[in-house]
Amino acid sequence: MTAGAWLSHARARLASVAGAQAAREARLILAHVTGWSATRVALEGGAALTPEGLSAAEAALARRLAREPLAQILGAWGFYGRSFRVTRDTLVPRPDTETLVDLALARPFERLIDLGTGTGAIAVTLLAERDGATGVASDISAAALAVAGENAAAHGVAGRLRRVEADWWDGVDGVFDLVVSNPPYVTGAEYATLAPEVTDWEPRGALTPGGDGLSAYRAILDGLGSRLLPGGRCLVEIGARQGEAVAALFTAAGLDAVAVHPDINGKPRVVEGWMPKRHGAG
Ligand code: GLN
């Protein structure tokens, strides 16, 4: 079978699970199993697939048709221009979260913590983009921290990123001038409505704390006073309907200049707040 013939067969089968992404997913699967670049896959429709290539492509297609996320099948996913290893123990990095990275990089920082780091996408990207900064990546899941460690090494920042197994602040020490997190924020009710790729394959604890979806923000803000330096900044990702509630929690926690920032689709996506400078400290 030629690459082109396999792509049209795969695209048709994927339409029901991947919708508008079917053609792109078929190309990514073929590139993954053949080792070809995405360009070569797109251009060499006439090339014959080896029997091994064909059976690997069919196996990956079957997994995708069983609603496994493509990122887990490929074992890696792009975020902010870099490839991150992804497993069943980690949330798949989403483009929404690039908004948080852009906001973090808009101001100086030297020492960050990424609470609930998962793949490490946020912490690793920030350290890769900001030479000389150091940080901590925490997670309650040792399996996720192992993946974050692979990603830190792959992107050359392992020497500047300490990984800590911790339940939010419980288990963390040190102080930071930047606190970032993409915590679980989906409400218990919303979680039940998510796609099977999410509910059957991604870690539930990375997506929802249950209830009103706000308990992780409360835990993060509770410990902030002793960990975020005066003049330091806190940035958290939020669900599109949580801007007002999370901004109110930030203000109640004593943070200044609290702002809700939109993502590239114009939806509220990140809440920012600053730790007041101490009196007399300027
Ligand atoms: N944006 C994710 C989703 O709904 C949620 C991520 C999170 O809870 N941090 O798919």
Side-chain angles (χ1 to χ4, degrees), residues 91 94 96 182-186 206-207 237:
L91 192 73
R94 288 156 164 72
D96 308 333
N182 173 20
Y185 55 67
V186 175
L207 283 150
E237 183 170 315

PDB file of all heavy atoms in Angstrom, residues 91 94 96 182-186 206-207 237, ligand 1:
ATOM      1  N   LEU A  91      -1.136  15.153  32.164  1.00  0.00           N
ATOM      2  CA  LEU A  91      -2.048  15.882  31.286  1.00  0.00           C
ATOM      3  C   LEU A  91      -1.314  16.180  29.969  1.00  0.00           C
ATOM      4  O   LEU A  91      -0.131  16.501  29.983  1.00  0.00           O
ATOM      5  CB  LEU A  91      -2.424  17.203  31.976  1.00  0.00           C
ATOM      6  CG  LEU A  91      -3.575  18.005  31.384  1.00  0.00           C
ATOM      7  CD1 LEU A  91      -4.903  17.316  31.702  1.00  0.00           C
ATOM      8  CD2 LEU A  91      -3.598  19.416  31.956  1.00  0.00           C
ATOM      9  N   ARG A  94      -1.648  21.635  26.557  1.00  0.00           N
ATOM     10  CA  ARG A  94      -2.637  22.235  25.658  1.00  0.00           C
ATOM     11  C   ARG A  94      -2.194  23.632  25.241  1.00  0.00           C
ATOM     12  O   ARG A  94      -1.568  24.338  26.016  1.00  0.00           O
ATOM     13  CB  ARG A  94      -3.989  22.328  26.377  1.00  0.00           C
ATOM     14  CG  ARG A  94      -4.658  20.962  26.565  1.00  0.00           C
ATOM     15  CD  ARG A  94      -5.626  21.007  27.718  1.00  0.00           C
ATOM     16  NE  ARG A  94      -6.580  19.898  27.787  1.00  0.00           N
ATOM     17  CZ  ARG A  94      -6.313  18.648  28.117  1.00  0.00           C
ATOM     18  NH1 ARG A  94      -5.064  18.278  28.366  1.00  0.00           N
ATOM     19  NH2 ARG A  94      -7.270  17.746  28.206  1.00  0.00           N
ATOM     20  N   ASP A  96      -3.808  26.303  25.142  1.00  0.00           N
ATOM     21  CA  ASP A  96      -4.316  27.332  26.072  1.00  0.00           C
ATOM     22  C   ASP A  96      -3.230  27.763  27.055  1.00  0.00           C
ATOM     23  O   ASP A  96      -3.166  28.915  27.475  1.00  0.00           O
ATOM     24  CB  ASP A  96      -5.472  26.788  26.935  1.00  0.00           C
ATOM     25  CG  ASP A  96      -6.572  26.145  26.117  1.00  0.00           C
ATOM     26  OD1 ASP A  96      -6.739  26.534  24.957  1.00  0.00           O
ATOM     27  OD2 ASP A  96      -7.252  25.250  26.656  1.00  0.00           O
ATOM     28  N   ASN A 182      -0.921  25.268  36.435  1.00  0.00           N
ATOM     29  CA  ASN A 182      -2.130  24.912  35.687  1.00  0.00           C
ATOM     30  C   ASN A 182      -2.765  23.781  36.491  1.00  0.00           C
ATOM     31  O   ASN A 182      -2.558  22.610  36.216  1.00  0.00           O
ATOM     32  CB  ASN A 182      -1.778  24.455  34.273  1.00  0.00           C
ATOM     33  CG  ASN A 182      -2.996  23.929  33.536  1.00  0.00           C
ATOM     34  OD1 ASN A 182      -4.138  24.225  33.918  1.00  0.00           O
ATOM     35  ND2 ASN A 182      -2.782  23.147  32.495  1.00  0.00           N
ATOM     36  N   PRO A 183      -3.517  24.150  37.541  1.00  0.00           N
ATOM     37  CA  PRO A 183      -4.026  23.128  38.464  1.00  0.00           C
ATOM     38  C   PRO A 183      -5.289  22.475  37.897  1.00  0.00           C
ATOM     39  O   PRO A 183      -5.829  22.955  36.890  1.00  0.00           O
ATOM     40  CB  PRO A 183      -4.376  23.956  39.700  1.00  0.00           C
ATOM     41  CG  PRO A 183      -4.845  25.260  39.138  1.00  0.00           C
ATOM     42  CD  PRO A 183      -3.974  25.496  37.910  1.00  0.00           C
ATOM     43  N   PRO A 184      -5.768  21.403  38.513  1.00  0.00           N
ATOM     44  CA  PRO A 184      -7.068  20.862  38.106  1.00  0.00           C
ATOM     45  C   PRO A 184      -8.151  21.887  38.431  1.00  0.00           C
ATOM     46  O   PRO A 184      -8.191  22.397  39.556  1.00  0.00           O
ATOM     47  CB  PRO A 184      -7.215  19.606  38.969  1.00  0.00           C
ATOM     48  CG  PRO A 184      -6.321  19.829  40.136  1.00  0.00           C
ATOM     49  CD  PRO A 184      -5.191  20.679  39.638  1.00  0.00           C
ATOM     50  N   TYR A 185      -8.976  22.247  37.443  1.00  0.00           N
ATOM     51  CA  TYR A 185      -9.996  23.268  37.701  1.00  0.00           C
ATOM     52  C   TYR A 185     -11.371  22.938  37.126  1.00  0.00           C
ATOM     53  O   TYR A 185     -12.312  23.706  37.265  1.00  0.00           O
ATOM     54  CB  TYR A 185      -9.531  24.646  37.217  1.00  0.00           C
ATOM     55  CG  TYR A 185      -9.110  24.750  35.758  1.00  0.00           C
ATOM     56  CD1 TYR A 185     -10.048  24.599  34.726  1.00  0.00           C
ATOM     57  CD2 TYR A 185      -7.795  25.033  35.423  1.00  0.00           C
ATOM     58  CE1 TYR A 185      -9.657  24.725  33.397  1.00  0.00           C
ATOM     59  CE2 TYR A 185      -7.401  25.165  34.087  1.00  0.00           C
ATOM     60  CZ  TYR A 185      -8.338  25.003  33.086  1.00  0.00           C
ATOM     61  OH  TYR A 185      -7.961  25.133  31.780  1.00  0.00           O
ATOM     62  N   VAL A 186     -11.501  21.837  36.429  1.00  0.00           N
ATOM     63  CA  VAL A 186     -12.798  21.465  35.862  1.00  0.00           C
ATOM     64  C   VAL A 186     -13.741  21.117  37.020  1.00  0.00           C
ATOM     65  O   VAL A 186     -13.333  20.438  37.970  1.00  0.00           O
ATOM     66  CB  VAL A 186     -12.613  20.268  34.907  1.00  0.00           C
ATOM     67  CG1 VAL A 186     -13.944  19.764  34.393  1.00  0.00           C
ATOM     68  CG2 VAL A 186     -11.678  20.642  33.753  1.00  0.00           C
ATOM     69  N   ALA A 206      -5.453  15.518  37.509  1.00  0.00           N
ATOM     70  CA  ALA A 206      -4.846  16.676  36.837  1.00  0.00           C
ATOM     71  C   ALA A 206      -5.906  17.595  36.253  1.00  0.00           C
ATOM     72  O   ALA A 206      -5.616  18.727  35.886  1.00  0.00           O
ATOM     73  CB  ALA A 206      -3.910  16.208  35.722  1.00  0.00           C
ATOM     74  N   LEU A 207      -7.139  17.094  36.174  1.00  0.00           N
ATOM     75  CA  LEU A 207      -8.206  17.839  35.491  1.00  0.00           C
ATOM     76  C   LEU A 207      -9.238  18.424  36.434  1.00  0.00           C
ATOM     77  O   LEU A 207      -9.726  19.524  36.208  1.00  0.00           O
ATOM     78  CB  LEU A 207      -8.912  16.907  34.504  1.00  0.00           C
ATOM     79  CG  LEU A 207      -8.113  16.665  33.233  1.00  0.00           C
ATOM     80  CD1 LEU A 207      -8.383  15.299  32.656  1.00  0.00           C
ATOM     81  CD2 LEU A 207      -8.448  17.753  32.218  1.00  0.00           C
ATOM     82  N   GLU A 237      -3.544  29.184  35.532  1.00  0.00           N
ATOM     83  CA  GLU A 237      -4.524  28.978  34.466  1.00  0.00           C
ATOM     84  C   GLU A 237      -5.890  28.744  35.099  1.00  0.00           C
ATOM     85  O   GLU A 237      -5.987  28.173  36.190  1.00  0.00           O
ATOM     86  CB  GLU A 237      -4.126  27.770  33.602  1.00  0.00           C
ATOM     87  CG  GLU A 237      -5.095  27.584  32.440  1.00  0.00           C
ATOM     88  CD  GLU A 237      -4.627  26.558  31.418  1.00  0.00           C
ATOM     89  OE1 GLU A 237      -3.438  26.598  31.038  1.00  0.00           O
ATOM     90  OE2 GLU A 237      -5.469  25.729  31.008  1.00  0.00           O
TER      91      GLU A 237
HETATM   92  N1  GLN B   1      -8.116  22.829  29.810  1.00  0.00           N
HETATM   93  C1  GLN B   1      -8.269  21.508  30.337  1.00  0.00           C
HETATM   94  C2  GLN B   1      -9.480  20.868  29.724  1.00  0.00           C
HETATM   95  O1  GLN B   1     -10.591  21.099  30.051  1.00  0.00           O
HETATM   96  C3  GLN B   1      -8.312  21.501  31.822  1.00  0.00           C
HETATM   97  C4  GLN B   1      -6.972  21.566  32.379  1.00  0.00           C
HETATM   98  C5  GLN B   1      -6.975  21.718  33.848  1.00  0.00           C
HETATM   99  O2  GLN B   1      -7.883  21.368  34.571  1.00  0.00           O
HETATM  100  N2  GLN B   1      -5.942  22.265  34.313  1.00  0.00           N
HETATM  101  O3  GLN B   1      -9.395  20.085  28.861  1.00  0.00           O
END
